């Protein structure tokens, strides 16, 4: 699937955007996209300028989640449309979160999924914002195949029941035998499997594939990284300036722990945490308090091991090895 056809598989609701710009009389509009949707930016900007009287500005910055709203652009325009994510934080009055649901039919992949799940068992349903509008349909289908389904509410960082983020698996906190995750990629379902110690079946409606996940490999890799850091003496504790990723309080707690165990440490604050940006900081290891995915997805590209806060606590002996889970950014219960 090439990237043009990929973005064509989602509903950007252009008519709704035109309507909102017209109704509010916005003279300037901003557009912000995650990487996979950026190819649509130019044509969408041209179309919106043709159909409304607003002038459009596109955010060229990388965008990884709803935690990462381009606040500078939001300050420049009357209204900012942020695509691909659900709202995460309150107080962004001129930012409209366009969830951009996938148009794909999820039913074809569910037959194979139902064959994998034992009739009479209870399944926790999970997905990303792109398919969350299909969960009622998924539930009806699976119940017609003799399965019981539960959908967790999640905490206040979660906008829709059953929705998971790469930093928040709270919607998986339900009583069930197994989980069914509808979506692409393995990060979210691996996080769920590790967090709750139950099996996760991944049904990808884009690729029409079904697969049971085995979290053992990633746990082995993370255990190896923890083991490598047991003798580390100097730590860079990384904090993000991004509005929805900033965990300075946690970073200060990590710094306090480092001090308690006689480890040299410094807090490093930056916007985009990339291997290139960290290259000049000569430390034995980093402790990442920003987006939890950074420590996992890009692990091999950094010049020093990147620990999550949980892993750092294991390195210091504050936690046991069997408490190794993915880092999450959890917030209040709903
Ligand atoms: S912190 Fe990371 S996983 Fe969480 S919303 Fe932001 S980009 Fe996504």
């Amino acid at each position: 699937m090439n990237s043009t056809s990929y973005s064509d598989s989602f509903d950007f609701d252009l008519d709704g955007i035109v309507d909102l710009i017209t109704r509010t009389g916005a003279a300037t509009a901003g557009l912000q996209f995650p990487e996979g949707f950026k190819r649509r930016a130019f044509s969408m900007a041209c179309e919106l300028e043709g159909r409304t009287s607003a002038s459009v500005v596109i955010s060229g910055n990388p965008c990884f989640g709803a935690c990462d709203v381009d606040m500078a652009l939001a300050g420049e325009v009357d209204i900012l449309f942020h695509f691909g994510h659900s709202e995460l934080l309150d107080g962004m009055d001129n930012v409209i979160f366009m969830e951009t649901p996938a148009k794909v039919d999820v039913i074809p992949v569910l037959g194979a999924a139902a064959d994998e799940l034992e009739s009479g068992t209870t399944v926790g349903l999970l997905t990303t914002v792109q398919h969350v509008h299909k969960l009622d349909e998924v539930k009806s289908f699976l119940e017609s195949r003799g399965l019981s389904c539960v959908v967790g509410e999640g905490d206040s960082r979660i906008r829709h029941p059953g929705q998971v983020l790469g930093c928040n698996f709270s919607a998986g906190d339900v009583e069930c035998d197994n989980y069914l995750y509808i979506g692409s990629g393995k990060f979210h379902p691996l996080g769920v499997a590790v967090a709750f110690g139950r099996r996760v079946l991944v049904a990808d409606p884009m690729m029409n594939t079904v697969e049971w996940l085995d979290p053992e490999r990633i746990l082995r890799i993370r255990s190896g990284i923890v083991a490598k850091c047991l003798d580390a003496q100097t730590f860079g504790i990384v904090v993000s300036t991004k509005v929805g990723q900033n965990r300075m309080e946690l970073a200060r707690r990590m710094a306090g722990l480092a001090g308690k165990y006689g480890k040299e440490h410094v807090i490093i604050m930056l916007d985009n945490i990339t291997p290139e940006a960290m290259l000049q900081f000569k430390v034995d290891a980093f402790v990442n308090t920003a987006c939890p995915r950074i420590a996992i997805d890009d692990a091999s590209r950094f010049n020093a091991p990147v620990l999550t806060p949980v892993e750092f606590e294991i390195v210091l002996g504050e936690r046991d090895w069997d408490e190794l889970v993915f880092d999450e950014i959890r917030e209040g219960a709903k």
Side-chain angles (χ1 to χ4, degrees):
M1 186 179 289
N2 65 38
S3 51
T4 305
S5 62
Y6 175 79
S7 64
D8 285 346
S9 309
F10 298 86
D11 180 4
F12 289 83
D13 191 16
L14 270 213
D15 292 340
I17 294 172
V18 168
D19 183 52
L20 193 56
I21 291 175
T22 308
R23 272 193 293 115
T24 57
T28 51
L31 304 178
Q32 186 183 17
F33 302 87
E35 299 313 299
F37 291 163
K38 272 201 173 120
R39 279 170 176 246
R40 285 295 300 269
F42 194 85
S43 62
M44 193 184 295
C46 292
E47 182 169 347
L48 290 176
E49 288 194 338
R51 291 176 63 186
T52 70
S53 53
S55 87
V56 175
V57 180
I58 297 165
S59 170
N61 288 321
C63 173
F64 301 102
C67 58
D68 194 9
V69 173
D70 190 330
M71 298 306 288
L73 180 55
E76 285 290 333
V77 294
D78 294 329
I79 191 164
L80 172 65
F81 296 95
H82 175 108
F83 291 88
H85 307 121
S86 57
E87 188 173 359
L88 192 67
L89 304 165
D90 297 327
M92 296 183 187
D93 294 342
N94 69 334
V95 182
I96 308 296
F97 290 84
M98 305 298 297
E99 294 186 349
T100 328
K103 295 185 212 164
V104 65
D105 183 2
V106 295
I107 296 298
V109 79
L110 288 183
D115 290 343
E116 291 287 329
L117 296 160
E118 197 183 327
S119 183
T121 59
T122 301
V123 186
L125 301 183
L126 297 166
T127 187
T128 61
V129 71
Q130 266 69 49
H131 305 290
V132 82
H133 59 294
K134 295 283 177 75
L135 279 190
D136 284 344
E137 211 180 311
V138 172
K139 191 164 179 279
S140 303
F141 180 90
L142 293 178
E143 285 174 353
S144 76
R145 295 283 301 261
L147 291 148
S148 297
C149 297
V150 279
V151 181
E153 281 292 314
D155 67 15
S156 60
R157 212 168 154 85
I158 295 301
R159 198 54 53 175
H160 303 284
Q163 182 190 358
V164 283
L165 302 173
C167 57
N168 189 302
F169 314 122
S170 57
D173 197 2
V174 292
E175 285 301 319
C176 62
D177 297 300
N178 300 299
Y179 296 100
L180 174 64
Y181 172 80
I182 316 279
S184 307
K186 293 189 178 170
F187 188 92
H188 301 67
L190 277 174
V192 171
V194 175
F196 300 104
R198 296 191 193 110
R199 296 178 81 208
V200 182
L201 182 66
V202 177
D204 182 339
M206 296 287 192
M207 304 304 289
N208 206 19
T209 55
V210 167
E211 176 189 5
W212 285 104
L213 276 194
D214 179 6
E216 283 310 311
R217 184 173 169 273
I218 184 75
L219 284 175
R220 269 201 310 277
I221 292 171
R222 297 314 301 177
S223 296
I225 290 172
V226 171
K228 215 168 146 185
C229 294
L230 290 175
D231 295 328
Q233 290 304 320
T234 55
F235 292 87
I237 300 168
V238 182
V239 183
S240 172
T241 54
K242 292 187 196 303
V243 60
Q245 290 185 20
N246 179 287
R247 289 190 287 174
M248 183 55 98
E249 205 177 307
L250 176 63
R252 290 202 196 285
R253 192 166 72 71
M254 293 298 112
L257 280 180
K260 176 178 161 189
Y261 288 90
K263 305 289 186 185
E264 283 185 56
H265 59 277
V266 67
I267 293 179
I268 305 166
M269 193 163 186
L270 70 166
D271 186 38
N272 280 321
I273 299 154
T274 61
E276 296 72 29
M278 308 313 287
L279 199 57
Q280 299 307 328
F281 301 113
K282 303 302 180 197
V283 292
D284 294 334
F286 295 107
V287 181
N288 171 50
T289 69
C291 172
R293 296 197 60 155
I294 292 168
I296 314 282
D297 287 348
D298 295 330
S300 59
R301 296 181 53 231
F302 284 88
N303 58 316
V306 183
L307 296 164
T308 68
V310 171
E311 292 165 350
F312 185 49
E313 289 178 337
I314 294 172
V315 165
L316 295 177
E318 285 278 312
R319 276 182 189 257
D320 291 333
W321 284 77
D322 59 10
E323 292 181 77
L324 182 58
V325 287
F326 280 22
D327 182 26
E328 290 186 64
I329 306 179
R330 292 271 190 122
E331 279 169 14
K334 278 181 182 159

